[in-house]
Amino acid sequence: MTVTRPNAIGAPGYSETMPCEPESASRARRLVRAALNTWGLGNLIGDGTLIISELVGNSVRHSGCRLLRVSVRLPDRDRVRLAVTDKCLRPPIAQAPDSNEECGRGLLLVSAMADRWDTEYRAWGKTVWAELRAKADS
């Protein structure tokens, strides 16, 4: 009799629910760092941790929620998706702050660093996500 092992289906990924507070950005960065290292994508850590920090920061500043959920997925071999989900339905808005302002550039940074980003809405809230092209460490 041959014993077979089940095959994993779906994308590998990690997620964690966190308090919607500024301190969660460091937890989110650790989650991204761990996932990218596990997948041999350490070259994406700089961009990935900055992007997740900005997405968490936006949720903390604008959602008014008690909790948020951070996820890092590898939907296929050439894409990493970073996402923050909260229960706020207000859309994220990329601002164009003047050079003297100290904040308001988060989504501009995400847009510049990510290959693409968007928002998915549900009846109970939204997920803001950004994708990076995955290239294995050399």
Side-chain angles (χ1 to χ4, degrees), residues 1-19:
M1 177 169 108
T2 304
V3 176
T4 60
R5 291 185 177 174
N7 293 319
I9 59 171
Y14 299 89
S15 66
E16 186 177 341
T17 299
M18 304 176 186

Side-chain angles (χ1 to χ4, degrees), residues 61-117:
R61 278 188 295 282
H62 304 293
S63 75
C65 295
R66 191 175 64 80
L67 299 171
L68 57 85
R69 184 152 191 87
V70 173
S71 64
V72 186
R73 293 187 313 121
L74 192 63
D76 54 51
R77 290 183 179 258
D78 70 344
R79 286 184 302 135
V80 173
R81 181 175 280 203
L82 310 168
V84 174
T85 301
D86 61 41
K87 291 187 176 184
C88 177
L89 288 169
R90 281 185 308 237
I93 299 170
Q95 300 174 11
D98 68 38
S99 59
N100 296 327
E101 293 184 54
E102 293 183 14
C103 61
R105 292 175 181 77
L107 291 176
L108 293 176
L109 282 171
V110 170
S111 182
M113 298 178 84
D115 289 300
R116 62 186 189 141
W117 75 277

Side-chain angles (χ1 to χ4, degrees), residues 112-128:
M113 298 178 84
D115 289 300
R116 62 186 189 141
W117 75 277
D118 205 351
T119 305
E120 294 173 0
Y121 295 94
R122 293 168 176 81
W124 48 263
K126 69 178 177 308
T127 298
V128 182

